[in-house]
Amino acid sequence: MPVEKFQIDQEELEKSIQLHIRGELDLAAALTFRHALEAVVHRKDKALVIDVGELTYIDSTGIGIVVSAMKIRDELKAPFAVRHIPPGIKRLFDLTGISGFLNEGIEGSA
């Protein structure tokens, strides 16, 4: 089975900035993901939503980047969510204890 290349698309909506990520988020893709987040993570005017519905793999580096973004958003008191988490990724988030902090239910994030 071929490795699915990491891709990220940004969509700016009225009330949110959505980052749609797909493929494998590992050490090789971490810099790309980090740069995309750095461009928007400090914007308090809109919710930040990371859509992982098409993510096939995430390693500890990727989880660390998500946690860093979550902490920054928390310090800014700015909405943050990770949405459409596939079961295998959800299990990793559960094991690391971050699932409860991902706030999948942001109101009005469209």
Side-chain angles (χ1 to χ4, degrees):
M1 185 159 104
V3 173
E4 191 174 341
K5 185 179 178 200
F6 180 77
Q7 294 181 334
I8 186 163
D9 295 309
Q10 180 175 322
E11 179 181 20
E12 189 156 344
L13 303 173
E14 183 181 339
K15 296 181 181 181
S16 68
I17 298 168
Q18 312 243 340
L19 297 178
H20 302 273
I21 62 176
R22 66 183 145 292
E24 295 193 355
L25 177 49
D26 56 12
L27 183 60
L31 193 57
T32 301
F33 184 45
R34 189 179 306 277
H35 283 309
L37 274 172
E38 286 173 354
V40 296
V41 74
H42 289 95
R43 286 191 51 188
K44 297 191 296 186
D45 60 320
K46 297 183 180 200
L48 176 58
V49 177
I50 301 174
D51 185 322
V52 297
E54 296 182 54
L55 193 64
T56 57
Y57 174 81
I58 188 169
D59 68 6
S60 60
T61 306
I63 291 172
I65 295 169
V66 171
V67 169
S68 294
M70 181 178 64
K71 287 180 179 179
I72 290 168
R73 298 297 288 183
D74 186 54
E75 288 172 9
L76 295 171
K77 308 269 188 273
F80 175 77
V82 178
R83 292 238 172 100
H84 306 125
I85 305 170
I89 306 292
K90 173 83 164 77
R91 180 164 156 63
L92 288 173
F93 288 168
D94 290 346
L95 288 170
T96 58
I98 66 168
S99 290
F101 301 100
L102 298 179
N103 194 16
E104 286 195 71
I106 289 180
E107 293 288 327
S109 61

